[in-house]
Amino acid sequence: MNHLSHNKTLLLPLFKYQHQCTRTIAKVRLKWVKNRSLDHIIDKETDLKAASLLKDAIKRSSTAFITEKTVSDWQKLLGLTVPVLRFLRRYPTLFHEFPHPRWSSLPCFRLTETAHFLHSQEQTIHRNHENQTVERVCKVLMMLKTRTLPLQCLQPLKWDLGLPDCFEKTLIPKYPEFFEFARAANGVPCLRLVNWRDELAVSALQESNERSGGECEGGSGESEYVEFKRGRKALVFPMRFPRGYGAQKKVRAWMEEFHKLPYISPYVDCRNIDPNSDLMEKRIVGVLHEFLSLTIHKKTKRNYLRSLREELNLPHKFTRIFTRYPGIFYLSLKCKTTTVTLREGYQSGKLVDPHPLARHRDKFYHVMQTGLLYRAKGDLRSGEEVLTLDNMAKDEAGNGESEEEVETSDEFCEDEVSETDETSE
């Protein structure tokens, strides 16, 4: 039986079950707990992403450089809290400043040799892992109701999904058997899934349980995944509760009831499920869990998810899902935006299973920090003179930061979060 048929089979008893579980589970009102380790990662990767996008912009430029005038209004676009000119000057190991050939008072920036080398390494990683990238895009489209996504919604996600720059020109046209370009009714260009792929209609939660099940099947007892496939047990989400909760027993009792609900794959049709039921809420948790699992850094901005809300069949105030399940998600207001992170993706301040692209981005960040060290010493030499790329894999965080969490007195509610978060490419 293929995975799609299997998912449909699993749903058959759910439609009868969902009529009986409309808001029957007691809800616990939780306080928001700040995680300094995850906030540090978000802070670090905001600068990393901005530098990477600027690097790509310079590579795309016909002149091989950008001017201060060109980037003067990019601050919000890049998600920065400082002017772009100041940001570029902060990292001399990546961006070399020089006067414009015609207007000497106009600052210009080109890439250093180190930045060119890192870019070539990044392109190699994109080529070597192209099949995985295509699969990620396919899975995103497979979760959508119409299997179609406006390019203007996909563009901001290219960093999170690990897509190459100009992917709509360099990647998508190579796979006409999977994708096609289309126009929405309002004329907006879209990307559409051509063929459904049964082998991809398996969520990350199902895959992880299937792997652990395969390891346990040789034992005396049946694995959880085998029992799940036989309809005896519901899959459970990994939970990492933050410290600082006063009513731990009450919270855990609530989660135990939540886990007893049947798991619904994000790749199956949910139109017959009562939208006000606990079953639908668990399905929404599954969709958000799967989407974050597809990202390179197991996190994304809330606004990017908002642009997909209707296609993913999410409720209007879906941020409440993140705050109601703090053992699964972490919501942060760092860097003047709202970012949601999958807790299970991190351990001691580092990714549990980093993608090769994430490892390369750590090298990129190390070069950025090396530039800061030079500036602190009053030395603006280019990084190539003293930097050996063999040692760049060590992260600025060093030995790994402990996940320090601090309880706050304020509850993190949807109404308290700005509806106009800054967006970036």
Side-chain angles (χ1 to χ4, degrees):
M1 181 184 295
N2 61 43
H3 290 293
L4 181 60
S5 300
H6 171 58
N7 285 332
K8 290 180 178 178
T9 302
L10 292 175
L11 270 183
L12 292 178
L14 301 185
F15 300 136
K16 296 180 181 178
Y17 181 89
Q18 58 98 9
H19 292 295
Q20 304 173 5
C21 59
T22 56
R23 299 295 172 197
T24 57
I25 298 179
K27 297 300 186 296
V28 180
R29 194 168 180 82
L30 303 178
K31 292 183 179 180
W32 177 57
V33 178
K34 182 177 181 179
N35 187 306
R36 289 178 176 173
S37 176
L38 293 177
D39 279 346
H40 168 74
I41 292 170
I42 292 169
D43 195 14
K44 157 192 164 182
E45 291 178 2
T46 296
D47 283 0
L48 173 60
K49 177 181 177 181
S52 181
L53 293 177
L54 286 167
K55 181 261 297 177
D56 290 340
I58 294 174
K59 289 293 294 186
R60 289 195 305 268
S61 173
S62 59
T63 60
F65 66 84
I66 54 175
T67 68
E68 185 274 336
K69 185 177 180 179
T70 300
V71 301
S72 60
D73 59 348
W74 287 12
Q75 181 177 335
K76 184 176 180 180
L77 192 66
L78 294 171
L80 294 174
T81 56
V82 298
V84 181
L85 178 60
R86 186 191 306 176
F87 181 83
L88 286 165
R89 286 173 171 168
R90 183 182 291 174
Y91 302 111
T93 47
L94 293 176
F95 308 110
H96 172 66
E97 183 176 356
F98 64 98
H100 192 277
R102 186 172 179 182
W103 300 282
S104 58
S105 61
L106 179 62
C108 300
F109 295 87
R110 68 166 65 97
L111 296 180
T112 63
E113 291 182 12
T114 300
H116 279 293
F117 179 77
L118 289 170
H119 180 77
S120 66
Q121 284 190 326
E122 180 182 336
Q123 297 306 110
T124 299
I125 293 173
H126 282 306
R127 288 193 297 269
N128 292 342
H129 298 272
E130 188 170 281
N131 289 338
Q132 296 177 17
T133 305
V134 170
E135 288 181 0
R136 283 196 298 276
V137 178
C138 283
K139 296 187 82 159
V140 169
L141 294 174
M142 288 167 64
M143 284 194 288
L144 306 181
K145 289 190 295 186
T146 63
R147 317 292 186 235
T148 303
L149 181 63
L151 286 175
Q152 64 187 19
C153 296
L154 188 57
Q155 281 287 351
L157 286 163
K158 70 177 182 180
W159 167 267
D160 295 332
L161 294 175
L163 306 182
D165 192 39
C166 300
F167 66 90
E168 70 280 6
K169 298 178 182 178
T170 61
L171 178 68
I172 300 302
K174 294 170 63 176
Y175 296 91
E177 68 274 27
F178 299 142
F179 312 112
E180 67 178 6
F181 292 108
R183 291 274 179 181
N186 58 1
V188 173
C190 301
L191 182 65
R192 177 182 297 157
L193 183 72
V194 174
N195 292 311
W196 180 273
R197 301 177 63 182
D198 287 352
E199 71 276 13
L200 297 183
V202 187
S203 69
L205 186 63
Q206 289 172 307
E207 288 179 348
S208 63
N209 278 269
E210 188 169 10
R211 285 194 300 268
S212 61
E215 295 171 358
C216 299
E217 282 189 49
S220 57
E222 291 181 325
S223 70
E224 290 186 2
Y225 189 71
V226 172
E227 292 185 23
F228 164 71
K229 290 194 292 185
R230 294 177 179 176
R232 302 176 188 171
K233 194 167 186 176
L235 289 184
V236 299
F237 294 92
M239 289 282 187
R240 291 185 180 176
F241 281 101
R243 296 192 297 270
Y245 283 104
Q248 280 284 350
K249 291 183 179 179
K250 188 175 182 181
V251 172
R252 292 189 180 278
W254 170 29
M255 288 297 100
E256 286 176 5
E257 290 299 313
F258 169 76
H259 281 315
K260 290 178 183 179
L261 294 170
Y263 172 77
I264 303 175
S265 169
Y267 299 104
V268 300
D269 190 350
C270 66
R271 286 176 294 181
N272 293 326
I273 302 177
D274 181 356
N276 297 316
S277 66
D278 290 316
L279 188 61
M280 176 59 84
E281 182 166 306
K282 184 164 185 178
R283 183 260 172 191
I284 293 168
V285 171
V287 169
L288 296 170
H289 180 279
E290 176 68 1
F291 191 93
L292 292 173
S293 296
L294 292 175
T295 62
I296 299 297
H297 296 277
K298 311 307 175 190
K299 62 181 181 61
T300 192
K301 290 187 178 183
R302 185 194 59 173
N303 268 3
Y304 299 166
L305 289 170
R306 175 173 283 125
S307 66
L308 307 178
R309 185 183 65 81
E310 291 187 6
E311 280 292 332
L312 289 174
N313 200 22
L314 301 177
H316 179 67
K317 293 187 176 182
F318 65 90
T319 302
R320 290 178 177 174
I321 297 295
F322 302 134
T323 57
R324 281 157 64 90
Y325 298 93
I328 303 174
F329 309 110
Y330 174 65
L331 202 62
S332 172
L333 291 179
K334 196 70 176 177
C335 300
K336 298 183 179 180
T337 188
T338 308
T339 303
V340 60
T341 304
L342 193 62
R343 281 186 179 269
E344 68 188 77
Y346 288 86
Q347 182 69 43
S348 299
K350 293 184 178 180
L351 281 168
V352 174
D353 185 20
H355 187 277
L357 189 57
R359 294 193 184 99
H360 176 76
R361 288 171 177 175
D362 282 340
K363 293 182 180 182
F364 196 91
Y365 187 72
H366 182 78
V367 173
M368 293 169 62
Q369 294 305 105
T370 304
L372 286 178
L373 292 176
Y374 295 152
R375 290 181 62 86
K377 296 178 180 180
D379 184 358
L380 297 183
R381 290 175 298 169
S382 62
E384 302 88 271
E385 298 178 15
V386 293
L387 183 64
T388 57
L389 294 175
D390 292 338
N391 298 324
M392 289 194 300
K394 184 181 295 185
D395 184 32
E396 179 269 341
N399 296 326
E401 190 176 345
S402 61
E403 295 194 19
E404 183 178 0
E405 294 169 311
V406 181
E407 184 176 6
T408 64
S409 58
D410 297 326
E411 294 178 357
F412 198 123
C413 300
E414 174 81 8
D415 297 337
E416 296 173 353
V417 182
S418 171
E419 296 295 323
T420 56
D421 289 339
E422 289 184 323
T423 57
S424 57
E425 283 190 346

